């Protein structure tokens, strides 16, 4: 039995600049943090007590029982089993602490956790960076989902940092030189809420990529704001939280111009209500439309938005995760 976990993430700045269609030739980067909410993958090898009953059993939103890998309907499991050239039969159980398709990086967290599980099962030694690259290959080249590379990076590596991408696609993980008090204040200033709705990250990212040329000036400004955010967090300025929040506000206004489905009247209304209650900034996580919204506020203040909206779930208590993908059980 093998159990692995990979964290979800919060993206502060730079979302949309991590797609290949933009960063190749322009550079990009994202300031994000892994959080202590996880996707878990449980993998158990089936033994040949009843040879005729051997099968691939996959439990996610559906329960699948298939003899052939090619018949597995879950696209991530199908692709990773083929990628790892799987010979044995396994029970594979997916469990996530947050909803899928919610802007928190759930698909990539599942991809990363399953890759780690199969590496353990097959005694394959890979670094976190190799797992990150494998996850990108699976999601972008094999499954051909539209999107960036920040989710796979954060689920693999964990932590809070600046993932900087140069114009040739080379990635550098730049740690923030932020003092412990400021890090704790940033963590305590976050309130996370969930707004129900149906969305497809891949289709939203397809719209974003089709508008890359039209949005060149916006994306260039987004790169500049991400650099400013990094400098602010690293400065250890006593007023860093207000400055950082103002930068996020600017970036959110830019992102809403990427395409018309980034936000909605409902989301704008919730964010404006939060400002009236003392929020410093608020933005929707992920590609847009619905899902999780995070706010920064004074660390000692509570917004309690769920008191005002029946369909807003939260606040959800979070802390930063500093481990990334991890094996938590193996026997």
């Amino acid at each position: 039995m093998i159990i692995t976990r990979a964290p979800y993430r919060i993206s502060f700045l730079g979302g949309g600049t991590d797609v290949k269609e933009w960063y190749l030739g322009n550079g990009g980067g994202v300031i994000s943090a892994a959080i202590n909410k996880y996707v878990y993958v449980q993998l158990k090898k089936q033994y040949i007590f009843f040879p005729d009953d051997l099968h691939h059993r996959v439990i996610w939103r559906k329960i699948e029982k298939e003899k052939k890998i090619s018949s597995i309907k879950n696209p991530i499991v199908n692709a990773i089993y083929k990628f790892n050239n799987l010979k044995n039969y396994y029970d594979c159980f997916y469990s996530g602490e947050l909803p899928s398709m919610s802007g928190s990086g759930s698909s990539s967290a599942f991809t990363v956790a399953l890759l780690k599980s199969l590496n353990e099962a097959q005694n394959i030694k890979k670094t976190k960076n190799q797992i990150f690259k494998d996850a990108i290959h699976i999601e972008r080249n094999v499954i051909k989902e539209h999107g960036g590379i920040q989710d796979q990076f954060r689920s693999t590596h964990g932590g809070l940092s600046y993932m900087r991408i140069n114009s040739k696609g080379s990635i550098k993980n730049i740690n923030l030189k932020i003092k412990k008090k400021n890090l704790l204040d940033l963590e305590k200033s976050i309130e996370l809420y969930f707004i129900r709705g149906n969305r497809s990250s891949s289709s939203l990212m397809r719209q974003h990529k089709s508008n890359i040329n039209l949005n060149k000036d916006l994306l260039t400004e987004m790169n500049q704001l991400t650099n400013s955010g990094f400098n602010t967090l690293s400065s250890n300025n006593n007023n860093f939280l207000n400055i950082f929040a103002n930068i996020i506000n600017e970036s959110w206004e830019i992102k809403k111009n990427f395409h018309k489905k980034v936000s909605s009247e409902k989301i704008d209304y919730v964010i404006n209500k939060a400002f009236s209650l003392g929020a410093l900034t608020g933005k929707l996580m992920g590609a847009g439309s619905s899902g999780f919204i995070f706010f920064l506020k004074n660390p000692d203040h509570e917004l309690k938005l769920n008191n005002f909206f029946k369909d807003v779930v939260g606040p959800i208590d979070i802390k930063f995760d500093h481990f990334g993908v991890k094996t938590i059980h193996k026997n």
Side-chain angles (χ1 to χ4, degrees):
M1 176 81 72
I2 296 163
I3 303 175
T4 59
R5 74 179 193 196
Y8 298 93
R9 62 97 185 99
I10 287 177
S11 177
F12 293 105
L13 290 165
T17 69
D18 61 320
V19 296
K20 185 169 63 174
E21 288 79 3
W22 169 254
Y23 66 69
L24 289 181
N26 299 288
V30 177
I31 296 174
S32 62
I35 60 175
N36 64 338
K37 301 296 180 186
Y38 303 97
V39 165
Y40 294 87
V41 170
Q42 177 180 300
L43 202 66
K44 182 176 73 69
K45 184 179 178 181
Q46 294 183 8
Y47 293 96
I48 312 176
F49 297 116
F50 302 98
D52 292 339
D53 195 40
L54 286 174
H55 56 268
H56 300 288
R57 188 165 68 138
V58 183
I59 302 173
W60 51 305
R61 290 195 305 269
K62 304 174 181 178
I63 298 177
E64 299 191 56
K65 186 176 178 180
E66 303 290 351
K67 284 287 187 181
K68 297 179 180 180
I69 292 174
S70 59
S71 299
I72 296 173
K73 295 179 179 61
N74 185 294
I76 293 173
V77 177
N78 185 309
I80 292 178
Y81 278 15
K82 289 176 181 176
F83 177 73
N84 278 62
N85 195 25
L86 202 65
K87 301 298 183 185
N88 296 310
Y89 291 88
Y90 287 89
D91 290 335
C92 175
F93 176 57
Y94 162 93
S95 179
E97 293 188 76
L98 301 180
S100 59
M101 296 187 292
S102 59
S104 55
S106 57
S107 293
S108 296
F110 179 36
T111 301
V112 167
L114 182 55
L115 283 167
K116 178 69 171 175
S117 289
L118 282 176
N119 288 344
E120 293 280 11
Q122 297 176 294
N123 293 314
I124 299 171
K125 304 296 182 183
K126 287 193 176 183
T127 66
K128 286 185 176 180
N129 203 47
Q130 288 172 316
I131 293 173
F132 160 62
K133 290 179 179 178
D134 287 346
I136 294 294
H137 172 70
I138 293 296
E139 293 193 62
R140 300 292 166 256
N141 300 327
V142 180
I143 302 176
K144 299 189 183 303
E145 288 279 343
H146 297 276
I149 61 175
Q150 62 158 313
D151 295 354
Q152 299 87 347
F153 183 89
R154 194 54 61 201
S155 282
T156 305
H157 292 283
L160 164 67
S161 67
Y162 182 11
M163 180 194 72
R164 182 178 287 170
I165 315 167
N166 70 18
S167 59
K168 294 182 179 179
S170 179
I171 298 165
K172 186 175 183 180
N173 187 25
I174 304 176
N175 292 318
L176 299 163
K177 297 178 181 178
I178 183 170
K179 60 185 178 183
K180 188 174 182 180
K181 180 184 181 304
N182 283 4
L183 182 64
L184 291 174
D185 281 348
L186 178 61
E187 188 176 68
K188 288 190 293 182
S189 76
I190 297 171
E191 277 195 22
L192 187 65
Y193 293 87
F194 178 69
I195 294 184
R196 299 183 187 95
N198 296 315
R199 62 191 288 281
S200 166
S201 175
S202 182
S203 63
L204 291 169
M205 288 304 295
R206 182 169 59 244
Q207 285 187 313
H208 170 60
K209 291 197 294 185
S210 68
N211 290 344
I212 287 288
N213 290 330
L214 291 174
N215 293 331
K216 187 169 184 178
D217 290 343
L218 296 175
L219 287 159
T220 299
E221 190 173 353
M222 185 75 83
N223 275 346
Q224 294 168 351
L225 286 171
T226 306
N227 285 325
S228 296
F230 171 74
N231 292 333
T232 297
L233 291 177
S234 299
S235 70
N236 287 313
N237 187 312
N238 290 335
N239 194 36
F240 85 100
L241 196 56
N242 285 288
I243 300 171
F244 190 54
N246 287 334
I247 294 170
I248 293 174
N249 284 334
E250 288 185 60
S251 74
W252 175 237
E253 291 303 316
I254 289 171
K255 188 171 182 178
K256 286 196 292 184
N257 288 309
F258 283 174
H259 58 81
K260 63 182 180 180
K261 292 186 178 180
V262 169
S263 190
S264 68
E265 288 186 10
K266 173 70 173 179
I267 291 162
D268 290 342
Y269 183 65
V270 171
I271 291 175
N272 287 334
K273 180 64 177 179
F275 276 119
S276 74
L277 297 170
L280 302 174
T281 189
K283 70 184 284 280
L284 192 69
M285 293 164 56
S289 186
S290 63
F292 282 97
I293 300 180
F294 82 82
F295 299 92
L296 297 185
K297 40 78 180 181
N298 186 297
D300 300 319
H301 180 64
E302 292 182 348
L303 302 176
K304 296 184 179 179
L305 279 169
N306 53 306
N307 290 340
F308 302 91
F309 302 99
K310 292 182 179 179
D311 57 347
V312 172
V313 181
I316 298 162
D317 184 48
I318 62 137
K319 290 181 170 55
F320 296 143
D321 166 273
H322 299 283
F323 299 99
V325 65
K326 184 177 182 180
T327 300
I328 58 176
H329 177 80
K330 182 179 181 181
N331 69 359

